[in-house]
Amino acid sequence: YRITDKASDFKVHKNGLMSYFSSGKFFLMDNQFRVVDSVTCVNGIETDPHDFQILPNGHYLLIGLDSLRADLRKHSVFMRKNLPGSRNALLKTGVIQELDRQKNLVYQWNARPYFKLEDCDRFFLNDTAIVDITHFNSVDKNRKEEILLSARYTHELIKLNAQREVE
């Protein structure tokens, strides 16, 4: 066993490594629970704790968050009372990154151009200052090299063509 302060998304991967999320990164452990590596999103993207996959080719598939300050006062969709958003809100959108074994970025998709605040289920818009539009919960890659991800706040399952180049 291994004692950690706080951890989430613990799982055993097909290659035998185990992983868990803590302190902003995914830690990789061997079968003796020894930490052998860690993985985070790159290029200023915050690592999201919801899901992490080690692909059959040894690449890493991660969910990240891209943040942008925005004036959301014209959007009266918050707190289930049609309250306006904050003047200087932190607007977050999901990002999918695939890193190679050396943790070089080989694929990235940012949801920002494809999602608007109005796409969200208002039930989830409970904070006028920090707003996660997409809230991706899980990600995986199929045999056709398509990335599948779930977007909780918009009630969508999304399929991406992972053959595109890094944006």
Side-chain angles (χ1 to χ4, degrees), residues 68-131:
L68 171 74
R69 290 283 174 189
D71 184 347
L72 300 181
R73 291 179 292 179
K74 68 178 181 176
H75 299 277
S76 296
V77 295
F78 293 92
M79 311 293 283
R80 295 185 208 130
K81 298 177 183 175
N82 294 330
L83 295 177
S86 297
R87 179 175 51 89
N88 193 27
L90 187 61
L91 190 61
K92 297 185 174 199
T93 52
V95 174
I96 302 302
Q97 289 188 343
E98 182 177 339
L99 308 178
D100 66 16
R101 292 175 191 230
Q102 292 75 39
K103 302 176 191 157
N104 298 304
L105 184 65
V106 296
Y107 175 81
Q108 176 172 296
W109 181 78
N110 191 322
R112 180 175 291 138
Y114 306 100
F115 287 83
K116 302 181 304 262
L117 182 60
E118 293 76 21
D119 295 331
C120 289
D121 183 331
R122 289 182 180 200
F123 176 83
F124 298 111
L125 298 175
N126 295 314
D127 189 336
T128 62
I130 301 174
V131 183

Side-chain angles (χ1 to χ4, degrees), residues 55 61 96-98 107 109 138-142 144-149 158-162:
L55 302 174
L61 192 60
I96 302 302
Q97 289 188 343
E98 182 177 339
Y107 175 81
W109 181 78
S138 62
V139 64
D140 207 351
K141 196 171 193 182
N142 65 20
K144 295 180 181 179
E145 295 293 306
E146 298 163 326
I147 293 176
L148 305 172
L149 64 125
I158 301 164
K159 181 170 66 173
L160 304 171
N161 179 351

Side-chain angles (χ1 to χ4, degrees), residues 15-29:
N15 68 358
L17 290 176
M18 296 176 277
S19 68
Y20 66 92
F21 183 85
S22 182
S23 303
K25 62 179 89 174
F26 284 94
F27 290 93
L28 302 177
M29 298 182 296

Side-chain angles (χ1 to χ4, degrees), residues 41-45 97 105 108 166-167:
C41 288
V42 297
N43 295 344
I45 301 298
Q97 289 188 343
L105 184 65
Q108 176 172 296
V166 174
E167 296 175 357

